[in-house]
Every structure is written in C-alpha cells, then in structure tokens.
C-alpha cells in the first residue's frame, strides 16, 4: 500500500464502498503513503461523514496491524520453537503454518507474467472482451495454483488478495466500482470448473461430503449453491492429499498397465482421476517432462491426452478440431496468401490422382491444417515439420508423406522427443493444441496467432474467429 498511486488508492476506496470519497482524495492527491500517514484530525478534514471516517480509520488500522503481524511472525516462531518446542507441534504447527502462508500471500503475491497479447490489451488500457477475460482468469487460476503448491482450494482471503492485486495494477478493469466482485466471482467459478470433473478423487469427495454434497443428490438451486460456495471458501482448509504410499500404488499400477497389450481403460481413467492433483502439481512446478511421463506414461496416448485436456477445460478438443477443419479448410485453401505455397502445390498434384470424395476431403483438411501458420504469417517450423527433422523444443508435429493415403505418418514431438503417434491430421492438430495446455508450455511468439485462432474456436469465446 505504501507504493500505491492516487488511482490505486481511489480504486481501493471503491472496492470498500467508499466511492463517495474518491473526488476529494483525487483533489488532495492522497497516495498510498499519504493514506497510511493520515491521523484522526486529517481524516476529519478530508471526510465529512462520521460513518466514513470510522470505516476509513478502521481499514487503515487493520492494514497496519496485519503488516506488523507479518513482520513479527517469523521472530515469534523462532522464539517459541526454542523456548516451547512442545507447543509448536502437531495441530498447532499446522495451524501456525497455515496462518503464516496466508500472511505471506498478503506481502509477497505478484501478478503472473501475462502473455504478449494480453499485455498489449492491458497496456492500451482497453476493456477486455469475453475471450480476453477468460485468458486473464485462466492465468490467474494457474498462478494461484502454483502459490498453493498444486491445491485447487484457495480460501476467501486469497481470492481477495489476487483480485485486489489485479485491480490495483490495472484500475480500468474495475468497471465503475463493480469489478472486484465480478472478477472474484469469475475466478472462483474457474476453480470450480477445474475441480468439477475430478469426481473420483478422494480429496474432492472428502470436501464434497464435508460441505454437504452427496452422490445422487439432486442439484440445489443456483442461489443455494452460491451461498454454500461462499461459506465453503471461508471455512475450508487445504485438503489433505493422498498418503504417499497410496499414491505410489496408483502410479505403480499405471506404469505396469501401460506395458500391457490389453489395457483396462476404465481403471486407467479412474486412476488418472485420482492422481490428477499430484500430476498438476508437478507440471505447475515445472518438473522435467521426462519425469512426468515416466510416472504417468498414459499421457503419451492421444486418448488420455485429450481426456486430460477435457478434465482441465470441459472441452472435447478432438470433436472441436474436426468441426474446425471441416468448416475452414475450403476457405483456407482459397486464400491468395497460400496459392503458391509448396504444400498447396503438392496438394493440387495429388488431387488429380484420386476421385473418391472421402480421400479428396481428407487431403484438403490435411493441407488446410499444415497451411494455418502461413495464413497468419507465423513460423511454420514451430507448427509442423513436413518431411523434415523436428528442430523445435516446444510441441510440434512431424508429418511424413502428408498426401499419400497409404504411407502418411503423423507424430507429436515435445522437447524433440516423440510423444505420440497420431492417426490423421485432425488428431494431430488436436494433440498439438492439447499439449500446450496439458503440459503448461508457453506458446512461442512466432506461432501465437495460429494457436490463438484455434483456441478461440475450441473454447467458443466471443464472436466466431475469422481468417485474415
């Protein structure tokens, strides 16, 4: 708060229903440092209503107490552990560190490094559209999960801290004083959205039972659900993860099952559900991809890669990719920018050799898929290596003989290692987009326009995406 500008102070006042004070604070140029230096006499001169005076002084005092509590907490911990080692143990220790983590959030939380296109919108102080709001919320949710060390259960104070940081950095997102509640609600909904498909996770089931959810219950009204959620976030503690031995059993079973020819896919799905949190925690903590795949080898299977994407986003990416290529392939091939492209020339030569409608459609969809980066002026080598060696570290497709029905091959590579063999261009394109999300890999700038176009169609955000 000490470093706040006048705009950030005014934004802070609006969030606490003190919007009437904004004009006076602007006139007097009250910054964060000046706000903390106010005494009773200054507040009386600055604020006319006694009720507003009391609320303002109370907020300032609480902030100062919170800061002093944070500074003294570490010292108290060290002193207490030295003098009374039996006190700082067991449940007391757990409670102590829970409070310490919350105070750490207050002082150390910093907004994530948003992608380039989001930064551009925020730098121009433009009000983001629906698709951009979703992207901001997704990055905030992923960043909070990292701060929570993989947990999907923030408490109410942590939501407040993140949303406040967002609005303090970008006051124009406040939307006439209503932005705080809207962004907080959206962020809470995002966490619920990520948790919803994890129905077989023991941790999720425990929390559902704890707060009144039961299998087979009829759904409560939306009003009742919102009330329950509000209560839950305030009192809920971070859920206890599965015991190490239990998690080891699941991981060992998955590794053994992967080596079999005939696999029990239903049980694979169940155990992938149970282990999703430890897997997401590893990915959020940037564990090496080889270690993740060693423990969870089924992520090499296209089906499980698509299923993991659906658990995270509630979207059937393979189905959406089929729709995208069917709708856009003819338009892509008719664009002037790709008329003399080697891929298009190769396509035209192969079209003359076939008359079957299905084969012609397959060839056109394959060409449209491979031409996408050229349509958007992106670097095609970061998208697909056609009859060439893969050189990109980020997810990229390897394509051999794309228009030969009998010998065409598609594979997904990550970190120059083959991740999965794929049946056709549709599955390949879906796997490429899914890999960026599932493994939390930043999109290279030289390919981001192409992937943004695909993601806008997959997530059905805003108005239908259009080609350049």
């Amino acid at each position: 708060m000490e470093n706040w500008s006048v705009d950030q102070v005014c934004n802070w006042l609006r969030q606490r229903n003190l919007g009437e004070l904004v004009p006076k604070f602007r006139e007097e140029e009250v910054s964060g440092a000046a706000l903390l230096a106010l005494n009773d006499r200054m507040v009386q001169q600055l604020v006319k209503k006694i009720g507003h005076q009391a609320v303002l002084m109370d907020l300032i005092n609480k902030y100062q107490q919170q800061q002093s509590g944070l500074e003294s907490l570490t010292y108290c911990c060290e002193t207490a552990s030295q003098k009374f080692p039996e006190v700082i143990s067991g449940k007391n220790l757990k409670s102590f560190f829970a409070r310490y983590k919350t105070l750490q959030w207050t002082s150390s939380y910093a907004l994530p490094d948003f992608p380039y296109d989001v930064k551009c919108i925020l730098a121009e102080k433009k009000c983001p559209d629906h698709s951009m709001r979703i992207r901001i919320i997704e990055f905030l949710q992923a960043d909070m999960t990292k701060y929570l060390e993989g947990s999907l259960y923030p408490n109410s104070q942590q939501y407040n801290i993140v949303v406040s940081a967002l609005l303090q950095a970008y006051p124009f997102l406040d939307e006439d004083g209503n932005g705080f509640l809207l962004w907080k609600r959206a962020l809470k909904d995002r966490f619920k959205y990520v948790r919803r498909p994890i129905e077989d996770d023991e941790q999720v089931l425990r929390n559902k039972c704890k707060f009144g959810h039961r299998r087979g219950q009829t759904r409560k009204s939306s009003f009742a659900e919102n009330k329950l959620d509000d209560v839950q976030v305030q009192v809920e503690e971070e859920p206890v993860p599965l015991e190490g031995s239990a998690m080891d059993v699941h991981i060992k079973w998955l590794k053994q099952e992967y080596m079999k020819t005939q696999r029990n896919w239903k049980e694979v799905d169940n155990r992938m559900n149970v282990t999703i949190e430890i897997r997401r925690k590893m990915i959020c903590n940037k564990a090496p991809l080889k270690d993740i795949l060693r423990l969870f080898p089924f992520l090499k299977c296209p089906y499980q890669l698509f299923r993991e994407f659906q658990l995270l986003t509630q979207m059937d990416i393979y189905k959406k990719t089929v729709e995208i290529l069917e709708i856009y392939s003819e338009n892509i091939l008719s664009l002037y920018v790709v008329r003399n492209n080697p891929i298009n020339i190769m396509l035209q030569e192969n079209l003359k050799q076939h008359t079957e409608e299905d084969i012609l459609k397959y060839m056109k969809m394959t060409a449209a898929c491979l031409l996408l980066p050229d349509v958007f002026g992106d670097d095609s080598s970061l998208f697909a290596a056609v009859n060439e060696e893969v050189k990109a570290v980020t997810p990229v497709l390897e394509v051999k003989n794309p228009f030969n029905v009998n010998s065409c091959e598609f594979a997904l590579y990550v970190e120059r290692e083959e991740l999965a063999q794929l049946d056709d261009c549709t599955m390949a394109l879906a796997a490429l987009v899914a890999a960026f999300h599932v493994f939390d890999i930043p999109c290279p700038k030289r390919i981001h326009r192409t992937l943004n176009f695909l993601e806008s169609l997959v997530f059905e955000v805003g108005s239908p995406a259009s080609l350049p």
Side-chain angles (χ1 to χ4, degrees):
M1 185 179 284
E2 291 87 348
N3 299 323
W4 286 2
S5 65
V6 175
D7 286 338
Q8 289 173 319
V9 170
C10 293
N11 183 54
W12 179 78
L13 291 171
R14 291 193 195 98
Q15 292 170 13
R16 285 147 185 82
N17 297 320
L18 296 174
E20 295 180 22
L21 308 182
V22 168
K24 187 65 175 176
F25 273 62
R26 285 191 184 280
E27 180 185 343
E28 299 294 337
E29 297 183 357
V30 179
S31 63
L35 179 66
L36 295 176
L38 293 176
N39 56 33
D40 293 342
R41 182 182 175 187
M42 294 176 183
V43 171
Q44 290 172 6
Q45 292 177 347
L46 197 61
V47 182
K48 293 182 179 180
K49 295 181 180 179
I50 295 177
H52 286 171
Q53 294 175 8
V55 171
L56 183 61
M57 287 304 300
D58 182 60
L59 289 171
I60 295 173
N61 290 335
K62 283 182 178 178
Y63 176 83
Q64 292 172 336
Q65 290 170 7
Q66 191 178 50
Q67 289 300 103
S68 61
L70 177 63
E71 294 169 358
S72 62
L73 183 60
T74 305
Y75 173 78
C76 291
C77 175
E78 293 173 353
T79 306
S81 60
Q82 292 170 3
K83 293 184 178 180
F84 309 104
E86 70 281 1
V87 176
I88 307 297
S89 61
K91 292 184 178 180
N92 291 336
L93 184 63
K94 182 179 178 180
S95 174
F96 174 85
F97 280 111
R99 174 167 170 73
Y100 178 61
K101 280 186 177 182
T102 301
L103 289 173
Q104 275 187 317
W105 269 74
T106 307
S107 63
S108 67
Y109 181 77
L111 289 173
D113 187 19
F114 290 116
Y116 178 73
D117 55 335
V118 177
K119 287 180 181 177
C120 290
I121 294 294
L122 295 176
E124 294 172 3
K125 297 186 178 180
K126 291 182 179 179
C127 188
D129 59 15
H130 181 66
S131 62
M132 194 59 67
R133 285 172 173 275
I134 290 177
R135 296 204 68 200
I136 293 172
I137 288 295
E138 285 177 346
F139 274 84
L140 289 178
Q141 181 265 318
D143 194 58
M144 288 181 72
T145 304
K146 292 177 185 177
Y147 268 78
L148 290 167
E149 298 179 352
S151 173
L152 298 175
Y153 292 87
N155 60 36
S156 187
Q157 185 177 358
Q158 288 161 343
Y159 281 117
N160 292 342
I161 291 168
V162 173
V163 176
S164 295
L166 178 68
L167 297 184
Q168 287 163 14
Y170 308 105
F172 60 91
L173 297 177
D174 190 28
E175 297 180 347
D176 301 326
N178 297 320
F180 183 84
L181 295 178
L182 293 175
W183 285 98
K184 181 179 177 181
R185 180 75 260 172
L187 192 54
K188 290 171 70 176
D189 286 344
R190 176 64 190 174
F191 270 97
K192 289 172 66 178
Y193 188 63
V194 173
R195 293 194 302 259
R196 189 178 299 132
I198 318 174
E199 295 178 352
D200 295 327
D201 192 318
E202 292 181 17
Q203 168 184 315
V204 177
L205 290 175
R206 256 197 316 273
N207 281 276
K208 285 185 176 180
C209 292
K210 181 178 179 181
F211 297 104
H213 297 269
R214 297 289 187 275
R215 284 186 180 272
Q217 270 190 337
T218 55
R219 290 182 63 82
K220 300 177 177 64
S221 66
S222 58
F223 175 80
E225 282 186 333
N226 290 339
K227 288 296 183 184
L228 177 62
D229 183 67
D230 288 339
V231 173
Q232 174 177 340
V233 212
Q234 291 173 12
V235 302
E236 184 178 18
E237 293 181 357
E238 182 172 340
V240 181
L242 285 173
E243 294 293 334
S245 57
M247 187 64 69
D248 291 342
V249 169
H250 290 300
I251 292 174
K252 184 178 179 181
W253 186 93
L254 288 168
K255 291 164 71 174
Q256 291 175 345
E257 191 70 10
Y258 182 75
M259 302 303 294
K260 297 180 181 179
T261 306
Q262 299 294 327
R263 295 160 178 166
N264 183 349
W265 286 107
K266 184 176 181 181
E267 186 62 20
V268 170
D269 291 349
N270 291 336
R271 295 191 185 241
M272 289 293 281
N273 281 351
V274 172
T275 56
I276 188 170
E277 183 159 349
I278 186 66
R279 191 160 59 252
R280 299 318 304 168
K281 183 175 179 179
M282 289 179 67
I283 292 171
C284 286
N285 290 336
K286 303 300 180 185
L289 182 63
K290 289 183 179 180
D291 292 347
I292 297 168
L293 296 177
R294 179 173 54 81
L295 298 179
F296 304 101
F298 279 98
L299 289 178
K300 299 177 185 178
C301 301
Y303 162 75
Q304 281 297 331
L305 185 66
F306 298 158
R307 188 174 179 277
E308 188 91 352
F309 183 90
Q310 191 164 8
L311 287 175
L312 296 173
T313 66
Q314 288 291 292
M315 286 291 176
D316 185 341
I317 191 168
Y318 180 74
K319 179 181 177 182
K320 295 298 299 182
T321 305
V322 172
E323 295 173 0
I324 292 168
L325 288 180
E326 287 181 345
I327 293 171
Y328 285 89
S329 58
E330 292 289 349
N331 292 337
I332 291 171
L333 296 176
S334 66
L335 293 173
Y336 178 80
V337 71
V338 301
R339 185 170 299 174
N340 297 319
N341 189 286
I343 296 292
N344 200 9
I345 294 172
M346 195 188 309
L347 168 68
Q348 300 306 323
E349 292 174 353
N350 282 271
L351 288 177
K352 299 174 185 177
Q353 303 172 17
H354 299 275
T355 57
E356 298 89 341
E357 186 176 344
D358 289 344
I359 294 179
L360 297 178
K361 180 181 177 181
Y362 166 81
M363 287 184 174
K364 289 179 180 179
M365 290 174 65
T366 300
C369 170
L370 299 177
L371 287 170
L372 268 174
D374 297 286
V375 170
F376 290 92
D378 282 340
D379 186 347
S380 58
S381 67
L382 298 178
F383 186 83
V386 182
N387 295 328
E388 294 178 356
E389 181 184 354
V390 170
K391 297 179 181 178
V393 177
T394 52
V396 67
L397 299 176
E398 182 192 56
V399 185
K400 296 180 180 179
N401 308 316
F403 304 115
N404 189 321
V405 179
N406 298 318
S407 63
C408 62
E409 295 179 11
F410 295 87
L412 174 65
Y413 276 67
V414 182
E415 296 181 356
R416 298 194 185 95
E417 296 287 337
E418 183 180 304
L419 185 75
Q421 288 283 339
L422 306 158
D423 294 342
D424 51 36
C425 68
T426 307
M427 182 179 286
L429 185 58
L432 179 68
V433 176
F436 278 100
H437 280 265
V438 169
F439 298 114
D440 193 22
I441 297 173
C443 170
K445 292 181 181 179
R446 290 182 292 158
I447 199 68
H448 83 275
R449 284 185 291 266
T450 303
L451 290 180
N452 282 350
F453 170 77
L454 293 169
E455 289 176 357
S456 68
L457 294 172
V458 169
F459 293 113
E460 300 175 342
V461 291
S463 57
S466 58
L467 295 168

